[in-house]
Amino acid sequence: MIKEDKELVRKIKELKKKRNAVILAHNYQLPEVQDIADFRGDSLELSRIAAKTDAKVIVFCGVYFMAETASILSPEKKVIMPDTSAGCPMANMMNADDLRKLKRKHPQSVAVGYVNTSAEVKAELDYCCTSTNAIAVVNALRDKKEIIFIPDKYLADYVSKKSGRKLISWHGFCPTHVKILPEDLKRKKKFHPKAKIMVHPECLSSVVALADVVLSTSQMGKYAKDNPAKEFIVGTESGLVYRLKQDNPDKEFYPASERAVCPNMKRTTQEKVLWALEELKDEVRVSDDIRKKARLAIERMLAIA
Ligand code: 13P
Ligand code: SF4
């Protein structure tokens, strides 16, 4: 365990107040970053907080598309990232041109896209969705003949099975979640036979098939709290285990695979948060035309969920 740097934490708190800033951290962030955050959450929760906060500055500890989403929802606020090189490889697997071509191939379709996409891709979408509400969004489109669902092929497969809808998908995936293999779950289950298996829908379909429940990161937190089970195998990025343990000190959590670490989520450190607050950068902004279109897709999602 790294010793807490009290002086650094004190400086961050002081500067945060002075700047009228709020620190948002995704559930996969390093423990030291989660510890200084005002709010921790999954993609949907963080978008909602970003849309509501009165703070002037949002320090976003997560990956680039998440900070972009915050800026889309709160353009009057300054959204800064402690490390803008923290991207999401899945989001980078499809660009706006790819989506335009796919839409041209399926002119009757409605386009639904995971929040793990760039602002330019979101601007081409009819609906955005997150892992929390993907099934609800697709279910709300009963009257639509064809549905494009991008960019994650595993999330698309899961949503298609749950909704009974055939979806036109893309070949994107999360390089971190695909590291979790069915053998990992079987091995962990052998050692912990009473443990409930929770997995994220970005996992391989063969992994999803072995799960007791398929949930977003914050939904996993709620499930672990409400479920009488004392042990849980966690099939997502291993950073979530820190939060799960903190929130449920009487329960045990085993990462499905120690290999499931998102290097981009680990780029943010306390030092970088302090520098970001000192210099009020790097700012993440989305041009007005893209922002207005992308916002529509996000608002349609928020209206459904
Ligand atoms: P959540 O919305 O479940 O937090 O997931 C975001 C993400 O990037 C998962 O890899
Ligand atoms: Fe992207 Fe996967 Fe990292 Fe989530 S865990 S931010 S989907 S690369």
Side-chain angles (χ1 to χ4, degrees):
M1 183 91 185
I2 302 167
K3 211 169 154 279
E4 189 187 78
D5 186 337
K6 289 206 173 97
E7 184 54 16
L8 187 56
V9 174
R10 190 194 60 75
K11 277 189 192 161
I12 291 171
K13 282 190 182 154
E14 193 181 276
L15 207 50
K16 193 179 69 174
K17 227 175 167 177
K18 201 168 141 195
R19 301 285 195 220
N20 191 0
V22 66
I23 301 177
L24 308 187
H26 187 264
N27 290 323
Y28 296 156
Q29 288 289 294
L30 289 171
E32 66 186 69
V33 175
Q34 294 196 31
D35 288 349
I36 51 155
D38 295 295
F39 299 99
R40 299 185 283 190
D42 64 12
S43 308
L44 182 63
E45 290 170 330
L46 296 180
S47 309
R48 285 212 163 110
I49 294 164
K52 276 200 316 222
T53 179
D54 290 331
K56 274 211 167 84
V57 176
I58 297 174
V59 182
F60 212 109
C61 305
V63 290
Y64 199 82
F65 77 80
M66 295 178 177
E68 265 188 344
T69 307
S71 177
I72 290 166
L73 290 168
S74 292
E76 70 294 350
K77 295 186 184 119
K78 203 176 176 96
V79 178
I80 53 174
M81 263 185 100
D83 189 334
T84 45
S85 69
C88 168
M90 183 209 283
N92 296 337
M93 286 177 194
M94 183 180 222
N95 62 33
D97 224 25
D98 295 326
L99 180 53
R100 279 191 285 267
K101 276 185 200 145
L102 194 62
K103 288 195 327 186
R104 276 202 295 274
K105 244 175 102 178
H106 302 277
Q108 306 295 329
S109 66
V110 58
V112 180
Y114 196 22
V115 67
N116 298 40
T117 43
S118 67
E120 285 77 13
V121 166
K122 284 190 183 77
E124 292 292 328
L125 294 173
D126 298 300
Y127 292 85
C128 189
C129 73
T130 72
S131 51
T132 304
N133 58 32
I135 299 168
V137 170
V138 167
N139 280 340
L141 304 174
R142 287 265 168 247
D143 58 327
K144 308 286 179 202
K145 264 209 160 99
E146 280 193 313
I147 304 175
I148 288 176
F149 190 99
I150 56 96
D152 185 0
K153 60 181 170 183
Y154 297 114
L155 180 63
D157 182 55
Y158 172 66
V159 172
S160 171
K161 283 176 180 146
K162 283 287 174 189
S163 63
R165 295 295 304 263
K166 203 163 167 267
L167 301 174
I168 300 157
S169 58
W170 188 247
H171 45 75
F173 63 92
C174 164
T176 298
H177 281 83
V178 298
K179 289 195 178 131
I180 302 170
L181 303 175
E183 303 84 278
D184 295 323
L185 290 187
K186 286 179 192 156
R187 195 174 336 107
K188 294 273 161 146
K189 186 76 181 173
K190 213 163 139 188
F191 283 115
H192 311 289
K194 288 193 181 141
K196 292 277 178 204
I197 303 179
M198 321 187 274
V199 310
H200 197 276
E202 288 174 17
C203 287
L204 297 172
S205 306
S206 53
V207 164
V208 167
L210 296 174
D212 290 304
V213 279
V214 183
L215 302 167
S216 78
T217 56
S218 284
Q219 282 176 327
M220 286 187 194
K222 194 173 176 334
Y223 178 80
K225 200 165 164 223
D226 297 344
N227 197 283
K230 290 279 179 221
E231 295 176 286
F232 300 85
I233 295 165
V234 185
T236 191
E237 209 274 347
S238 58
L240 183 69
V241 169
Y242 175 71
R243 177 165 183 187
L244 291 172
K245 276 198 171 141
Q246 256 194 342
D247 292 351
N248 304 276
D250 57 326
K251 301 195 176 187
E252 292 299 328
F253 298 93
Y254 314 110
S257 166
E258 282 70 21
R259 287 189 303 266
V261 177
C262 175
N264 288 287
M265 281 285 183
K266 310 302 184 208
R267 283 183 189 272
T268 307
T269 59
Q270 284 188 346
E271 285 84 356
K272 289 182 191 172
V273 172
L274 178 66
W275 302 334
L277 280 166
E278 274 171 354
E279 298 177 25
L280 282 184
K281 60 183 197 186
D282 287 332
E283 189 173 3
V284 175
R285 273 203 87 76
V286 177
S287 67
D288 267 4
D289 54 328
I290 297 286
R291 182 178 57 76
K292 281 179 191 150
K293 288 191 220 156
R295 190 183 176 115
L296 267 181
I298 300 169
E299 277 173 352
R300 285 191 195 120
M301 163 187 86
L302 293 174
I304 292 173

